Amino acid sequence: MTDDRIENDTYYQELGLRCGLEIHQQLLTEKKLFCRCKAVLHRDTPSAVILRHMRPTLSELGEYDGTALMEFKTKKNVIYQLYNDTVCTYEMDDTPPFRLNYQALDIALEVALLLNFSIVDEIHISRKQYLDGSIPTGFQRTGIVGVEGWIPYKDRKIRLIQLGLEEDACREISDVGHQIVFKTDRLSIPLVEVVTHPDIQTPTEAGEVASLIGRLLRSTGKVRRGLGSVRQDINVSIKGSTRIELKGISKLQYIPKAVAYEAQRQKALLDIRDELRLRGITEKTFQSEQKDVTSLLKHTRCKRFKEILKNKGKIYGIILHGFGGIFDIQTHAGKTFSDEIAGRVRVIACLDVMPNIVSNTSFQEFGLLAKEIRSLETLFDVKSTDTLVLVWGSEDDVKTAVKEIKIRAGEATSGVPSETRQVFPDGTNDFERILPGPNRMYPDTDTPPTPISEKSLETIKKRMPEPLWECEKRLDALGLPKSLVLSLSISKNLQLFDRITRTLEIHPLLVAVTLEDTLKSLKRKGKNIQVLSEETLYLVFKMLSEKEFSKEALPIILAFLADNPSKTVADAVAELRITPLSIEDLHGVVDEVVATCSKPETTDCTFNGIMGQVMKTARNRIDGKIVSDIVQTKWERLNL
């Protein structure tokens, strides 16, 4: 399995790849969603910390959620870092929610309309279970704003299931052993969740559709920017498999590879299932046996085991009958089935120092002596068709680990278990948790319904931006290069660009380059471009259109105004002595320089030499192309 397959659309279509997206985008609001705390992030020392534990409870139907039971097995200490200005008793589940943040609701409605959703009559808040500790209440408050929308993509539409308005979770700071630490500043910041139907058929399409939705959200100018403000979850399945959720992908460039590797992983797991069935191993016939082998290895020279024994830990073995060679089968990009087992052990048994398991094909490499290996094989009566796995750590953790190894091996006989998986920057993934059950949502009795009036929708429609795809088509028709079309269509400078190009005689390309590239270049150089108001920028272009200076002077004038916010555009032109140079005066300057060529010992009479001399006077005062043309003509005459 190599990266070449990522762009091989036919391969994934033959696998029956189906992919849907869940785009989570924070909204640019002053306050949080269900309280009046500030929606800001912290980097300083927390005001306080608290410790909590998550415990499963029975549902109204008298059942435990599988994810809740899995999280309970981890026996985690959950530490919350608190900040006085961003957290109140609501976030800590000691106070019912305040009224819904209407600023957030208005933004969510605008996004829903742009995505062609049908808007609901009332927002009904529900509780969605979150049992990993990232929300202290154990659930996230969320409400559906719109249903059944669509966006255009290539020659078809991507159908959208729903748009939700919900509160964000905590930021994870660390997760080591049985302790996980969360920062609560992000908790309850409003976000929208855009959920697509599984209409995406290839990894490349997944990246492009995610980019399209993300760009549309940014085009409103009302969403947060920066790392962590947007996260993509991806639901992936292939023919014969089940849905796997790839969780929390923070960068768009990770998506195609992540989808490709997950499709390959599922194909490998289905192949493993088929191989086990050929061996006569099914969920009913699967057999395993576990034993404490600590005493057998008490004199081992294996460094890892010596350390465990020194700390009074335990070493257990579990034999998986008929699994010979299965652990070494590659699943995706350097990962094997052994990594599938190790990932489950890492999360649920909290044995997070890797490697945390070793199978008999790697015993010698791991540091076990031949006699120790023989003793283990004899104890378990290992056949060539079997796999023996060792796991080590504290006694409680090892017992949990052995149970999970057995569970995960048993699941291999059925194919692909439903999981939520964590994606790494290289596109590979690992186990995060069991996929939540279908009954994780239930009504929130603390929050009354919020009606959506036609009057509110009409007000929002009047201020909505142009649909992204129509804006891009319009900018493309102006002859702008693709990079500028993509940049400008979601830029805060778009309205100013439209105003300038519609009222002034200036080429759209020059306006776009100045607003999107020149200003960014000045910012990188340390210039405070924030002081350049839209009106100031408009006046700069107005004076340019009136021939008060040449386009070459734009960067210099803008830099001056950024450094001198109290100065006007006219002040900049005057103090920089950027007075226009007429064509007649330019001819005079060129003639003076050419005339000195009668004394070649004092003048460089090459084209570049003459051009350099002329530009000392003409720079920033007249179009450089005009200067070049006139110098070229006179230089050619000089050399006839």
Side-chain angles (χ1 to χ4, degrees):
M1 300 177 189
T2 63
D3 288 357
D4 331 356
R5 285 190 179 177
I6 293 175
E7 297 181 4
N8 185 346
D9 292 352
T10 303
Y11 172 74
Y12 295 99
Q13 288 165 357
E14 289 173 352
L15 286 181
L17 175 66
R18 299 185 72 204
C19 182
L21 301 173
E22 299 174 15
I23 308 294
H24 305 82
Q25 173 68 68
Q26 291 179 351
L27 304 182
L28 189 57
T29 59
E30 297 175 6
K31 306 293 184 181
K32 293 190 172 184
L33 189 55
F34 290 107
C35 71
R36 300 302 170 255
C37 292
K38 292 194 297 185
V40 296
L41 300 182
H42 277 277
R43 293 185 178 179
D44 52 333
T45 304
S47 308
V49 296
I50 64 173
L51 165 65
R52 285 189 174 173
H53 299 94
M54 305 298 288
R55 294 182 176 86
T57 57
L58 287 170
S59 70
E60 289 83 350
L61 299 176
E63 299 173 348
Y64 285 111
D65 180 84
T67 306
L69 292 174
M70 188 219 84
E71 295 292 348
F72 185 60
K73 290 180 187 177
T74 66
K75 302 181 179 68
K76 290 279 189 182
N77 294 319
V78 186
I79 306 293
Y80 295 107
Q81 297 180 350
L82 311 182
Y83 293 87
N84 289 335
D85 61 339
T86 60
V87 176
C88 65
T89 50
Y90 164 70
E91 275 84 11
M92 292 299 106
D93 199 26
D94 290 329
T95 300
F98 293 60
R99 289 187 66 85
L100 185 68
N101 183 333
Y102 280 95
Q103 182 189 17
L105 177 57
D106 281 356
I107 298 173
L109 287 168
E110 181 176 325
V111 171
L113 290 168
L114 284 169
L115 291 169
N116 302 297
F117 279 106
S118 297
I119 306 301
V120 301
D121 295 328
E122 292 182 329
I123 306 292
H124 290 262
I125 301 301
S126 297
R127 299 179 178 184
K128 184 193 297 184
Q129 287 185 338
Y130 261 76
L131 302 163
D132 59 356
S134 61
I135 300 183
T137 58
F139 59 83
Q140 176 189 55
R141 285 187 166 92
T142 178
I144 295 175
V145 175
V147 296
E148 294 305 327
W150 59 270
I151 54 172
Y153 172 68
K154 294 182 178 178
D155 57 350
R156 68 184 198 271
K157 291 180 179 178
I158 298 293
R159 297 172 300 148
L160 308 176
I161 298 174
Q162 66 185 42
L163 181 135
L165 173 62
E166 55 193 30
E167 55 187 348
D168 208 342
C170 295
R171 286 195 284 163
E172 183 183 310
I173 302 303
S174 66
D175 184 2
V176 180
H178 290 279
Q179 178 168 294
I180 187 166
V181 180
F182 290 107
K183 185 174 285 192
T184 57
D185 52 356
R186 193 180 77 180
L187 179 62
S188 198
I189 286 181
L191 60 79
V192 289
E193 179 190 39
V194 181
V195 183
T196 79
H197 280 277
D199 292 347
I200 297 165
Q201 301 169 354
T202 70
T204 301
E205 285 188 359
E208 291 175 348
V209 172
S211 176
L212 175 59
I213 295 173
R215 287 171 44 72
L216 185 141
L217 292 169
R218 291 195 296 276
S219 73
T220 65
K222 297 172 184 175
V223 300
R224 294 181 183 271
R225 306 292 289 269
L227 190 62
S229 63
V230 59
R231 299 183 298 281
Q232 290 88 196
D233 296 345
I234 311 176
N235 296 302
V236 181
S237 67
I238 65 172
K239 186 177 180 180
S241 180
T242 187
R243 178 174 73 93
I244 296 295
E245 183 181 42
L246 302 179
K247 191 72 174 174
I249 302 175
S250 60
K251 294 186 179 181
L252 288 171
Q253 58 264 39
Y254 297 164
I255 291 178
K257 191 175 286 188
V259 172
Y261 285 165
E262 176 54 26
Q264 294 172 17
R265 188 186 75 91
Q266 293 183 28
K267 174 63 166 61
L269 294 181
L270 292 177
D271 290 344
I272 288 173
R273 175 202 64 187
D274 294 344
E275 173 61 27
L276 289 172
R277 288 180 178 177
L278 285 174
R279 300 179 185 186
I281 304 172
T282 65
E283 188 176 2
K284 292 182 178 180
T285 63
F286 167 66
Q287 293 182 340
S288 67
E289 183 184 359
Q290 64 200 54
K291 292 180 181 179
D292 183 345
V293 297
T294 310
S295 59
L296 188 150
L297 296 172
K298 63 183 178 182
H299 298 301
T300 185
R301 295 182 182 178
C302 173
K303 290 183 179 179
R304 193 68 179 275
F305 289 164
K306 284 175 69 175
E307 181 181 347
I308 290 297
L309 296 171
K310 180 181 178 182
N311 293 320
K312 309 299 181 184
K314 292 287 186 177
I315 307 169
Y316 270 58
I318 177 171
I319 185 171
L320 307 173
H321 294 291
F323 270 69
I326 297 295
F327 270 51
D328 296 324
I329 293 177
Q330 184 175 342
T331 54
H332 66 293
K335 301 285 187 178
T336 64
F337 185 73
S338 179
D339 294 305
E340 294 280 318
I341 302 287
R344 187 77 70 93
V345 168
R346 175 183 60 83
V347 172
I348 298 179
C350 296
L351 296 175
D352 49 14
V353 178
M354 307 303 282
N356 56 8
I357 65 169
V358 61
S359 65
N360 55 328
T361 57
S362 301
F363 280 174
Q364 188 172 359
E365 180 183 342
F366 194 71
L368 291 178
L369 299 177
K371 64 178 181 179
E372 292 172 330
I373 297 172
R374 285 194 300 272
S375 297
L376 288 166
E377 291 175 342
T378 300
L379 178 64
F380 284 92
D381 191 21
V382 178
K383 306 290 193 300
S384 61
T385 54
D386 301 329
T387 286
L388 177 61
V389 184
L390 297 183
V391 60
W392 52 91
S394 69
E395 185 168 7
D396 287 346
D397 290 347
V398 170
K399 287 181 177 178
T400 300
V402 168
K403 291 177 183 177
E404 289 307 315
I405 293 171
K406 180 178 179 180
I407 291 170
R408 182 62 187 88
E411 289 172 344
T413 65
S414 301
V416 183
S418 296
E419 296 173 342
T420 294
R421 298 184 66 83
Q422 172 188 10
V423 177
F424 302 113
D426 65 355
T428 61
N429 60 59
D430 200 357
F431 177 82
E432 185 169 279
R433 61 176 177 265
I434 303 295
L435 201 62
N439 299 319
R440 66 186 298 212
M441 294 272 285
Y442 50 98
D444 177 35
T445 54
D446 290 330
T447 309
T450 302
I452 307 298
S453 68
E454 284 297 326
K455 183 178 179 181
S456 297
L457 290 178
E458 287 303 316
T459 301
I460 292 170
K461 287 176 182 177
K462 288 177 182 178
R463 68 164 189 253
M464 278 169 52
E466 181 182 14
L468 180 66
W469 41 88
E470 293 180 12
C471 178
E472 290 180 349
K473 186 183 297 184
R474 176 171 63 82
L475 295 175
D476 187 65
L478 293 175
L480 300 183
K482 186 68 173 177
S483 60
L484 277 176
V485 169
L486 294 176
S487 171
L488 191 58
S489 59
I490 61 172
S491 172
K492 65 179 183 179
N493 295 319
L494 178 62
Q495 289 185 335
L496 178 59
F497 170 86
D498 289 337
R499 180 187 175 194
I500 293 170
T501 54
R502 288 169 181 167
T503 60
L504 303 175
E505 291 293 327
I506 298 182
H507 197 287
L509 180 59
L510 174 61
V511 182
V513 168
T514 302
L515 296 179
E516 289 302 293
D517 294 342
T518 304
L519 289 178
K520 290 177 183 176
S521 175
L522 291 174
K523 184 179 180 180
R524 285 193 294 270
K525 294 176 181 177
K527 301 297 181 182
N528 184 18
I529 64 171
Q530 301 301 322
V531 301
L532 301 176
S533 67
E534 284 195 8
E535 196 57 35
T536 296
L537 292 169
Y538 181 81
L539 289 174
V540 169
F541 282 101
K542 187 173 185 296
M543 290 185 68
L544 175 63
S545 70
E546 294 168 351
K547 311 296 183 185
E548 295 295 325
F549 56 86
S550 72
K551 68 178 187 295
E552 283 77 12
L554 273 171
I556 297 172
I557 291 173
L558 293 172
F560 178 89
L561 292 172
D563 290 338
N564 302 276
S566 62
K567 302 284 187 178
T568 66
V569 182
D571 292 337
V573 172
E575 293 188 30
L576 292 169
R577 298 179 181 177
I578 304 176
T579 54
L581 185 67
S582 67
I583 296 292
E584 292 77 11
D585 289 342
L586 175 61
H587 275 286
V589 172
V590 176
D591 288 340
E592 286 181 13
V593 174
V594 169
T596 62
C597 285
S598 59
K599 301 176 181 178
E601 67 278 0
T602 60
T603 303
D604 180 358
C605 291
T606 63
F607 169 80
N608 289 336
I610 295 174
M611 189 73 181
Q613 289 296 316
V614 172
M615 289 303 291
K616 289 179 180 179
T617 303
R619 182 171 285 108
N620 300 325
R621 299 177 62 194
I622 192 168
D623 192 317
K625 180 66 167 57
I626 296 175
V627 178
S628 177
D629 290 345
I630 292 175
V631 170
Q632 181 73 29
T633 300
K634 293 182 181 288
W635 179 74
E636 288 175 353
R637 289 176 184 169
L638 179 68
N639 289 279
L640 286 178

